[in-house]
Amino acid sequence: MARSQQKKRGSGNGTSRGRGSRHAKKDVTDVFEADDDQRQIQRRGHTLDEVDNFEYEAGDIDEDDDEEIDSDDAFEDEDNDRFDHFKFAGSTKPELKKAKKQVKFQEEEPEIDLNEDDDDNAADENSEDGDDYMDLADMLDNSDDQDEDTAAVDQFLGDDGSEEQQSDSDAESDMEAFKGIGSDDSDDNDEAQESMISLIQSLSKKRKQTGDQGGNKKRHLTERNEVYEENEFNLPTTRISASTEQPKRTLDLADMMGSLQGEASLGQVKSSLESLAAKSKATLSAPLAKRVQDRLEREVAYGQAAKEITRWEPTVLENRSADHLHFPMQNGQETRDSKTSASLASTFVASTNLEKQIEQALQDAGMKDEELEAFESLKLNKLSVEEVEQRRQELAMMRELMYRHERKAKRMKKIKSKAYRKLKRKEKARLDEITEMNNVDHEMDQEDMMEAARHRAEERMTLKHKNTGKWAKRALARGQLDEGTREAIMEQLQRGEDLRRKIQGNDGDSDGSDSNDSDDDYDDAHAMAAKLDSLAHDIQQDTQPKKGLLSMKFMQDAEARNQKETMAELDSFREEWLNDEDDDQAEQDPANHRQVQNNPGRIAFGANMKNDKKPVQGTTTPSADVKLNAHGQIEKIARGAAHTTRTTGSVQVASKAAKPSPLADLDDDASNPWLQNDTSRLSKKASKSNKATSTQGKPRKTKGAADEDDDVELDLTQVLTVHKASKSPAAATKKSTKASSKPMPTAASDNDDDSDDADPTPMVPTTNKLTFSQRDLVAQAFADDNVVEEFEEEKQAVIAEDGDKVEDLTLPGWGNWGGKGVKKSAKKKKFLKVTKGISADKRKDAKLANVILNEKRHKKAEKYQSTSIPFPFKSMEQYEHSLRAPVGKEWNTTDIHRKMTKPRVITKLGTVIDPLSAPFK
Amino acid sequence: MANQDKKGSAALLVKPNKKKIAERHHVENEEKYTRGSSLNAKKMKAGYKLKEKIRKQEKEAKEAAQAAALAERLHGEEAGYLEAEGMEKTKNFKQDQLADAVDINTSSKIFNLDLDEFGPYALDYTRNGRHLLLGGKKGHIAAFDWQTSKLHFETHVKETVRDVTWLHNETMLAAAQKKYVFIYDNNGMEVHRMKNHIEVNKLEFLPYHFLLASVGNAGYLKYQDTSTGQLVAELRTKLGGCDTMTQNPWNAVINLGHGNGTVTMWAPTMTTPLVKMLCHKARVTAMAVDPSGRYMATAGLDNKLKVWDIRKYGLIQEYSTKAPAASLSISQRGLLAVGWNSQVTIWKDIFRTKQTAPYMQHLQAGSMMNDLEFCPFEDVLGVGHQKGMSSIVVPGAGEPNFDSLEANPYQTKKQRQEAEVHGLLDKLQPEMIMLDPTQIGKMTRATKEEAQKRQREDQAEQAAEADDLPTKDRKRMRGRNSSLKRYLRKKERRNIVDQDKLDTMDQLQKLQKDQAKPSSGFTTLDIF
């Protein structure tokens, strides 16, 4: 009911009014009431129609129109008849407007044709009635009491006196109209009573006029009353306001507090309620559009969800970056007990005999853990306070320095000056160079130094004496040379020539396969000598004053004795070594020279000779002798003689490399493999001559002087010494005692050569060009003659096949005239289709003469190669590096293999894996 | 004279603490196991994730290398060597002298089998060096565990046996006989006769690919898959009969030596040789490739022995021999054995420097060499010659430490079975044989143009293939699906009208006419 009133207030439209009221009624009234309504609706037919009509009219009525209606106009005759006993004292026309209007409605009602039977209309009628009533009640209501319409009327009927008293001067026009009534009452009580009754009667009459349901309405009104007696604990929810459009307020705190007025004990509650009341003053604003509301809701919800989800981020990130995930997650780690070797060691107790023994041994040695720890802690304890202080200071200093350095570096780094940078760079380069030089100087070995010196020397020799010097150039440029200058230049040239010859001699050596070795030996000798020197120096230097026991005289004496012995030993060794060196040197040179010659046997000889440097003292092992006898017999026939032959031959040639000697011819013959027997004869001769020369005795030490003057002579001597060795197998076999009695280096080499000769030498290196060509003769005797040519042809064919292919697509007869007397045009356009191939210079075998590499596609293997870079990688390098480390167990240790192939997700069998719960660290 | 053979020291069986491995900065010999330089993740252009991945990868690789280097301490054995004192020369040591000096076990490996009836002998050791197979030219085949002298079988096939080889393990072997290649089991039972391989001179087995390669007088190189039985490839060498074949153990490329002095290298999926080298000016008589696949030794009738670097196809050394070498073999540790006439000479360090004297020699008096082979994981050289077979000790020949996952000399039966299954599971495909197998899995080095060209070629090829492919024919009712009709439809689809089609059409018409013609003869219905 209250709601219906509110609705009416808000809307000026009749239709909406009626509808609103009906809905309100539905809302408020209970089930029983609904039946009554239904009945009422059925009963009254025309009233409903009336209302309908009224509604229509009411719809037309505007406020302005209302105002325009004159009260006198409104009061028509019938009205006058009815309301003549009413005095509208002091009422102006506009003030009476409302009442008039109402009356007018009521008057009009009967005139309307009433045939419709509509729920809405019926409801409207009801509400209209209510409205009427309410207006009246409002008129009556001067106090702030909120009453139901009927209740107000009752009250009014009950105590009109009090009503009067309570009348408010501020009351609206309606109220003033009522005042008149009141004043009448005061004049005459009886009269007043009567008039009141009449008023009520008139009201009821009016109701009866409007419809038959007047009584019903009344009943209905009573039914609308509150079930309970009105009191402070049963407060009505709304208060009826005046008939104006002023909104009716809902129950507010003030109403409730009103009842607490007199209660002193509830002061506190009152104050709190007051504050509440102040707050609740603000009215609710209209709700936003649903769409907007939803959007806002979504926004908030998203924010909430996002906040919720961000809490998962660390967990998710961790899981994503984890190498392996064990599921179920939480209890996975706890259950696993890891037995590390350390944990096992800590709980180890010696149980078996062996273990006990070992433990005992450890204990005896003081190697038990506890003892070690104790020892270490002891050491640590020794640090005194001062030391600690000092240490701390040191550290502080270091920190300070580092800090400063850092600061400085930062500052320097900021400098933008180009000039400064340039200077800086230069300085750095210079410093680098210097340090490098220093390093090199320090690091350079004796050998390297030797090497460097030789290089320098070579450089000097090759550059100087070439007339490329400043002076020489100038002199030559001058053209006319005086006697002295010319002579000087000539001399220089001569000198250069000599030196060059010398160098070439060396180069010749290095051509041979053994050259490197010989060089090495040479260097070795020098290095060894230098080392010996330094050793001796060290020993002598090592005479610093001793302390304690060592300072005593007898100790020093003993040491001096020792030192002397050491020195003696050193000297003897040096002597021996150098002799040996000389020997080697002596042996090698001729050997090398011989290598220039194209005789294979000789080469083997030389190389073997070199293999054993150290002289063997004492007798040879009998087994070797036996072997020699057993083995050599066969081989001697084939080889032994030949070797010696060639050596001699080669010596002669080497000595006079430039000029052909009579022996050189022989040698050429000897190099023919088919003429071996002949050469053996030669070799005999040669060996005889060697024998003669070999008696010259010991090897020379004065190598250097000979070198400078005449290599030829030196070569000869060296050859001789060697050939003494080569000759001596016979001697060695005859007299082994001789060798044993004299531990000479030559003897050693003798034996070596001996065995060498006896052995079958199955293969010989063929490095020399000449040798190859001669061997070639033999080869060609066996082989097809044109193997090489055929191969080259084939290669050319393959190149042509793989190369560009030109196809002539010109159609014959097209593009030129035919017929008699037509000449062929020279400029005929040709249509050529070129299929690109691999050009000869881009082939993989372009630089390999004897090789044809297949340039065809290996189609079937292509599927094992990737044409694009697989996903996570960005470059080929990255991808191919990922293939670098194999995973298979064949290439890895078991541990690593397991680790590499461990699956990323490991689930425990038979357990339920719950979704990730939130640990939220 | 001092001789040392393999001497085992107690293996240090310590399991290193994992943490320690991870923390190590450098481990001795680590470089040996790091394959290539590492990438610096910091410097590269890559996203965070990729960088992280690469960093992890590098770390793992380093760890693996370090672990492998650390595991080296488990290699308890050291290689043997011969050392001469003073004026002695190692080449002068003879087998009977060695037998006196070495321990009993080793001395028992010096033996001589006098089989002068059916020689000369070809021989082959299994990959673990445990079993020996002998094939006498005149038909004698014998297989035995040579260390325990347990004979598996011995048989006489009564025809020429030119070569023998073990297959993947000691349970199967192949023999190239007079006409065909036969496969026997370890009881001497003939399992297969491979009729595709005719008049074969040489056999070679590629253990990782399960391929048996053969080459013979016809000059055809044939590959037979011994696991599936398929003939994988038949490659015509076009260089005449061939009796020199060896495999490159590193990339499984087969090397053939030919009569014109060339050596060709083959992969089963290429019809032309990958490489053709002119090595000699006369027939190539023997070849050997070292286990690392870097060096090759060839010998020819021109009395030359040449050592090649087959990474760059360059000649390293050249030696002259007294007589053309009949057989060459390179041991696991890089010793080269040369068999010529009745001699065997063994060379050490021949791939590094030019040698002037051999490391060892052996004379098999009065018997021509036929086949040499170093026994894996043993310091033993097997010598097959005219009058049988002899086993000689060559200190320092074999690898002292074996990898039991690879080849286990002490393999039990169970392990052998396991290894067989694993071998089959890990079998490599024949297409994977190429000169540089490290290219597998990598990016193609083709330029853009090349790649486009290849693509075009492939497309053309596919189109051609698609034409040949039979399109699926829908099912037709009875009577409309005769083979003749099907054939015609197929022809029609291609829009080809040739004589064949016309003939078929005629045939079909005739057939239809025959069917349509009412039978003129008397039927039982005529009675009524």
Side-chain angles (χ1 to χ4, degrees), chain A residues 320-323 341-342 513-514 603-604 607-609 611-612 616 620-621 623-625 627 630-631 634-635 638-639 676 748 751-752 755-756 759-767 772 775-776 778-780 782-784 787-788 790-791 794 835-837 848 850-854 856-870 872-874 876-886 889-893 895-896 899-900, chain B residues 1 15-18 34-39 44-47 50 53-54 56-58 60-61 63-64 67-68 71 86-89 91-94 97 239 259-262 267 269-270 272-278 280-282 301-306 312-314 318-322 338 340 343 345 347 354-358 361 363 403 405-406 422 426 429 431-435 439-445 453-454 457-458 461:
Chain A
R320 265 190 203 158
S321 60
D323 292 342
S341 50
S513 67
D514 290 353
I603 296 161
N608 285 337
M609 207 167 66
N611 270 352
D612 287 32
V616 176
T620 53
T621 51
S623 66
D625 280 343
K627 186 207 74 210
H631 213 79
I634 313 157
E635 297 303 322
R639 292 242 134 208
Q676 277 207 353
N751 274 347
D752 284 349
S755 61
D756 208 16
D759 281 339
T761 315
M763 284 180 253
V764 274
T766 50
T767 47
F772 188 83
R775 285 270 153 191
D776 220 20
V778 185
Q780 279 183 4
F782 291 103
D784 300 331
V787 165
V788 180
E790 269 176 11
F791 189 84
E794 198 185 336
T835 315
K836 198 98 177 92
L848 299 164
N850 290 338
V851 180
I852 301 173
L853 289 175
N854 199 340
K856 291 201 178 72
R857 270 172 77 191
H858 198 169
K859 269 184 206 161
K860 285 186 177 160
E862 267 168 21
K863 66 181 170 192
Y864 295 111
Q865 291 197 322
S866 160
T867 47
S868 56
I869 302 164
F873 301 104
K874 292 272 190 280
M876 194 171 81
E877 191 196 17
Q878 288 166 3
Y879 167 58
E880 289 189 349
H881 254 78
S882 74
L883 303 173
R884 187 167 60 103
K889 64 180 189 315
E890 289 88 350
W891 298 276
N892 288 305
T893 57
D895 272 0
I896 294 289
K899 197 180 161 192
M900 281 174 149
Chain B
M1 184 170 85
K15 197 183 172 187
N17 196 343
K18 273 183 195 172
T34 46
R35 298 164 172 87
S37 60
S38 65
L39 269 186
M44 69 180 60
K45 279 182 187 173
L50 179 57
K53 184 186 164 77
I54 289 167
K56 207 175 270 179
Q57 208 172 270
E58 293 299 330
E60 233 169 40
E63 236 170 72
M87 58 182 226
E88 292 175 333
K89 297 258 176 210
K91 66 174 176 183
N92 296 332
F93 299 144
K94 294 169 80 183
Q97 288 172 309
L239 289 165
N260 62 354
T262 54
T269 45
M270 290 284 274
T272 44
L274 303 171
V275 180
K276 195 171 194 180
M277 298 168 73
L278 181 65
H280 292 275
K281 293 191 175 158
L301 272 183
D302 56 356
N303 285 6
K304 289 281 162 58
L305 173 79
K306 295 186 183 180
K312 53 180 190 185
Y313 314 105
E318 188 182 340
Y319 297 87
S320 294
T321 50
K322 285 275 291 178
V338 185
W340 53 282
Q343 300 256 1
T345 42
W347 297 80
K354 186 141 218 169
Q355 298 297 308
T356 48
Q361 315 185 51
L363 173 73
D403 179 356
L405 286 172
E406 185 64 25
H422 278 285
D426 296 341
Q429 289 306 308
E431 298 94 70
M432 286 174 144
I433 299 178
M434 54 182 86
L435 275 178
Q439 285 303 314
I440 292 174
K442 286 189 176 170
M443 299 272 303
T444 45
R445 297 295 198 271
K453 194 183 156 196
R454 283 178 190 184
E457 279 174 16
D458 289 345
E461 220 161 81

Side-chain angles (χ1 to χ4, degrees), chain A residues 452-484:
Chain A
R454 206 179 30 232
H455 273 301
R456 269 199 296 281
E458 251 171 46
E459 194 71 15
R460 252 186 296 132
M461 282 187 243
T462 46
L463 285 176
K464 233 180 176 183
H465 320 300
K466 256 187 176 179
N467 288 345
T468 50
K470 250 184 201 168
W471 170 81
K473 267 182 191 168
R474 220 182 296 148
L476 283 170
R478 215 182 296 140
Q480 296 228 335
L481 300 174
D482 58 315
E483 200 63 34

